[in-house]
Amino acid sequence: MRGPIANLMQQAQRMQEQIKQAQDDLANVEVTGVAGGGAVKLTLSGRMEARRVRIDPSALSDPELLEDLLAAAINDAVNKVQEASRARMAEATAGMPLPPGMNLGGLF
C-alpha cells in the first residue's frame, strides 16, 4: 500500500514543480491586444501587467471611440494571456490524472 501512495506523492511533487515552472515561464510572456484595425495596441505581460500602449494619432480625435478601442484592446490582451495560461497549464499537467472538477487554471 505504501508504494502507490509514495508514487502518487512523487507525481504530485513533480506536477507542483512543473506548475511553478509554467508560472515562471508565463511571467516572461508578452501579448498584444489590438483594436480598431491596429489603431490601439496594448501589450500585457503574462502576469497582466501593462507594458506598452500605442495609440494611432487618428484615434485621438474622438474621445468616446478611443475609450471603446482601449477597452477592446485590453479585453483582447487579457483573453490572449488567459489562453497562454491555459496552454501552459495543460503542458504542466499533461499525463497527470486530476480529480473531476479540479481546475488549476486559477493558479495564474
Side-chain angles (χ1 to χ4, degrees):
M1 187 68 169
R2 265 188 132 181
I5 291 174
N7 187 27
L8 184 61
M9 294 300 289
Q10 287 176 344
Q11 287 179 344
Q13 184 176 0
R14 271 195 310 274
M15 186 171 69
Q16 185 177 20
E17 291 167 1
Q18 290 170 330
I19 289 170
K20 173 70 172 117
Q21 182 62 48
Q23 289 173 323
D24 292 345
D25 292 346
L26 190 63
N28 296 319
V29 168
E30 285 191 351
V31 300
T32 301
V34 180
V40 175
K41 297 178 182 178
L42 174 87
T43 302
L44 291 180
S45 74
R47 293 196 176 165
M48 304 281 190
E49 298 166 336
R51 297 290 171 98
R52 283 182 295 285
V53 177
R54 302 276 186 240
I55 301 172
D56 187 284
S58 65
L60 298 174
S61 62
D62 185 347
E64 288 182 24
L65 176 62
L66 180 56
E67 290 171 356
D68 292 342
L69 292 175
L70 282 168
I74 291 167
N75 290 335
D76 185 40
V78 167
N79 288 334
K80 288 177 180 177
V81 169
Q82 289 173 339
E83 181 55 37
S85 175
R86 279 190 291 276
R88 283 185 171 61
M89 184 55 66
E91 291 172 13
T93 60
M96 297 294 293
L98 298 177
M102 185 172 185
N103 180 4
L104 298 177
L107 293 176
F108 294 105

